[in-house]
Amino acid sequence: MRIFYRLCKMSSIMPPPQSLLKPMNFPRKSLYGPGPSNCPPRVLAACALPLLGHCHPEFFQIMDEIKEGVQYAFQTQNELTLAISGTGHAGMEAAVCNMVEPKDVVVVFSAGLWGERFADMAERHDADVRVVEKPMGAVFTLDDVKQALDHHKPSVAFIAHSESSSTVMQPLEGIGDLCKSHNCILIVDCVASLGGAPMFMDQWNIDVLYSGSQKVLSCPPGAAPISLNQRARNKLAARKTKVRSFYLDMNWLGNYWGCDGQPRKYHHTGPISSMYALREGLSMLVEEGLEECQARHQKCANILYEGLEKMGLKPFVKNKAHRLPTLTAVEVPDGIDWKKVSQYAMDKYKIELAGGLGASAGKVWRLGFMGYNAQPENVRTTLRVLQEGIEWYRNSPQSKL
């Protein structure tokens, strides 16, 4: 003991950070951007429930219920369906590291940030990446897909159903059939659309589908629903090399989630509270019903479109059929500083008016009404605040500079 105290006196111990002796600062804000969404009280309450052990039978039951909820949201009967401990990026990374091996030819249909991110991840796994690019706001046709598959002959293809950087919703019908006929695994990102727009994983022949918890499901970020069909499982089983990420290895994760019929083994400490929240968010989706939830989001989107038209503002995506019902990019008028208007809305009303992402940065506001936030009164309030902010900026001295 004397030696311990002597060492303490000889050592220089850092002083405690004063910031941690004060309460956290978390003002209540209306998160009407690309996500995260505001959480409903019952989801927040679920986060505060007592912890269980991550291998306790009661927690395994909750994991099983989450699996059923994800299958419902994805409209799939795939056995290998679960929620990864991580955000939507972890879902994307899991799709890459499980489906891609070195030298695999991977076609990435890219019309925004998420195609760019997927290509980056695939390159890090030594894939032969071929990017088929279109400008932001555009979608890929079946002819585009067929030509790329015929020319590149890939083993894996990626496309974003919800390209949140441009707020495009990519039509998917027929793409899975084309990929299947070319013996190519189709990976789809539906992070910003799941629950707010139609999604039929099995019917559309999607091999790997992933999403996130913080959008329409209105949960805290930190869980990424994902599902692999039998074709994807066959590719996983036929790998010549180990999955490079132990943490995201779907063989281990599938066992931990009870997807392989074998006794569950410890893989990692699941984020207990995050899974409570996800279970509650999925429960709310089931109670409302998928079709009803999608109709609510489309109703809010239509109110937004009508309001923007009255204000003389234009959605970035011109074709209504290609707009995400959950998230809308609005073109910033000439002479308006988007950031100053967004700051005005935040400072005065604590309302988030997000800017663009990637190539759309500085060119658009992105307005999202997802999950708990998808209510007509929230849309109308945001339209009023946006108009007020634009008028404020036009009348301010700084607009004349």
Side-chain angles (χ1 to χ4, degrees):
M1 187 64 71
R2 289 178 181 175
I3 294 173
F4 172 77
Y5 284 119
R6 193 178 304 132
L7 286 173
C8 287
K9 288 180 179 180
M10 291 171 60
S11 302
S12 177
I13 297 177
M14 291 176 58
Q18 295 301 301
S19 60
L20 295 180
L21 300 176
K22 303 174 185 177
M24 282 191 291
N25 177 34
F26 48 94
R28 293 185 180 274
K29 298 182 179 183
S30 298
L31 305 179
Y32 301 154
S37 302
N38 292 102
C39 295
R42 61 186 278 188
V43 169
L44 293 177
C47 293
L49 293 173
L51 291 182
L52 291 167
H54 58 282
C55 290
H56 289 185
E58 297 87 352
F59 186 62
F60 284 161
Q61 180 180 342
I62 291 170
M63 293 169 72
D64 291 343
E65 292 165 358
I66 289 171
K67 175 180 172 178
E68 291 180 16
V70 174
Q71 287 173 321
Y72 172 69
F74 282 1
Q75 288 294 283
T76 184
Q77 296 182 19
N78 294 336
E79 187 63 26
L80 188 49
T81 300
L82 49 89
I84 287 175
S85 305
T87 62
H89 275 82
M92 178 183 281
E93 193 89 63
V96 175
C97 71
N98 284 276
M99 289 295 101
V100 175
E101 290 194 84
K103 298 183 180 180
D104 275 357
V105 176
V106 177
V107 163
V108 177
F109 295 97
S110 178
L113 184 71
W114 303 119
E116 295 172 9
R117 290 278 170 94
F118 190 93
D120 186 335
M121 291 182 186
E123 286 173 353
R124 291 166 187 253
H125 286 266
D126 297 326
D128 180 358
V129 179
R130 320 282 178 87
V131 178
V132 180
E133 198 165 9
K134 282 202 171 186
M136 273 194 168
V139 299
F140 295 92
T141 66
L142 289 179
D143 283 342
D144 294 330
V145 175
K146 186 177 185 306
Q147 287 178 25
L149 296 177
D150 286 341
H151 178 68
H152 297 292
K153 298 177 175 54
S155 59
V156 175
F158 168 84
I159 200 162
H161 180 237
S162 50
E163 181 47 77
S164 58
S165 62
S166 64
T167 68
V168 158
M169 181 169 67
Q170 166 68 45
L172 292 178
E173 295 92 327
I175 295 178
D177 296 336
L178 283 172
C179 287
K180 186 176 182 180
S181 68
H182 284 74
N183 195 29
C184 171
I185 295 295
L186 175 62
I187 300 173
V188 172
D189 178 310
C190 68
V191 172
S193 55
L194 182 67
M199 172 53 64
F200 299 97
M201 183 177 185
D202 290 356
Q203 187 177 323
W204 291 346
N205 264 323
I206 298 169
D207 299 299
V208 181
L209 184 65
Y210 67 86
S211 190
S213 58
Q214 74 275 21
K215 310 282 187 174
V216 173
L217 296 179
S218 295
C219 300
I226 189 170
S227 182
L228 276 65
N229 70 4
Q230 191 58 52
R231 290 184 68 240
R233 295 183 75 172
N234 291 344
K235 187 175 191 325
L236 177 60
R239 288 181 64 98
K240 298 179 179 65
T241 59
K242 271 188 174 184
V243 176
R244 288 190 174 182
S245 170
F246 177 84
Y247 187 67
L248 298 175
D249 187 334
M250 290 296 289
N251 296 297
W252 277 93
L253 291 172
N255 173 265
Y256 178 49
W257 278 81
C259 300
D260 61 3
Q262 300 299 315
R264 301 192 202 205
K265 297 190 292 288
Y266 165 74
H267 173 247
H268 72 288
T269 303
I272 316 299
S273 299
S274 293
M275 292 305 166
Y276 290 169
L278 179 57
R279 196 266 187 204
E280 199 66 16
L282 288 166
S283 178
M284 292 181 69
L285 178 66
V286 169
E287 289 171 11
E288 182 178 12
L290 260 178
E291 292 180 337
E292 290 77 7
C293 187
Q294 292 162 8
R296 175 164 58 88
H297 284 78
Q298 190 61 61
K299 178 182 178 181
C300 287
N302 291 338
I303 293 171
L304 180 61
Y305 303 154
E306 292 168 11
L308 293 172
E309 187 175 357
K310 289 177 182 177
M311 293 167 59
L313 298 177
K314 300 176 182 178
F316 179 71
V317 181
K318 304 309 175 190
N319 188 334
K320 272 190 178 182
H322 298 158
R323 294 176 189 166
L324 270 172
T326 54
L327 183 65
T328 300
V330 181
E331 293 180 358
V332 177
D334 291 339
I336 300 296
D337 186 326
W338 76 270
K339 198 169 187 178
K340 294 286 177 57
V341 174
S342 294
Q343 194 62 51
Y344 174 88
M346 181 59 69
D347 290 345
K348 189 168 182 179
Y349 296 103
K350 291 292 184 286
I351 286 178
E352 178 185 29
L353 306 178
L357 193 62
S360 68
K363 301 175 183 177
V364 299
W365 291 289
R366 289 183 300 153
L367 309 181
F369 302 96
M370 294 180 272
Y372 184 58
N373 290 342
Q375 299 297 336
E377 59 268 26
N378 293 337
V379 181
R380 296 188 181 101
T381 297
T382 302
L383 285 166
R384 177 180 59 78
V385 170
L386 178 59
Q387 184 169 29
E388 184 181 311
I390 291 172
E391 291 173 355
W392 164 82
Y393 183 79
R394 282 177 173 152
N395 294 325
S396 67
Q398 55 193 322
S399 67
K400 309 298 190 294
L401 298 177

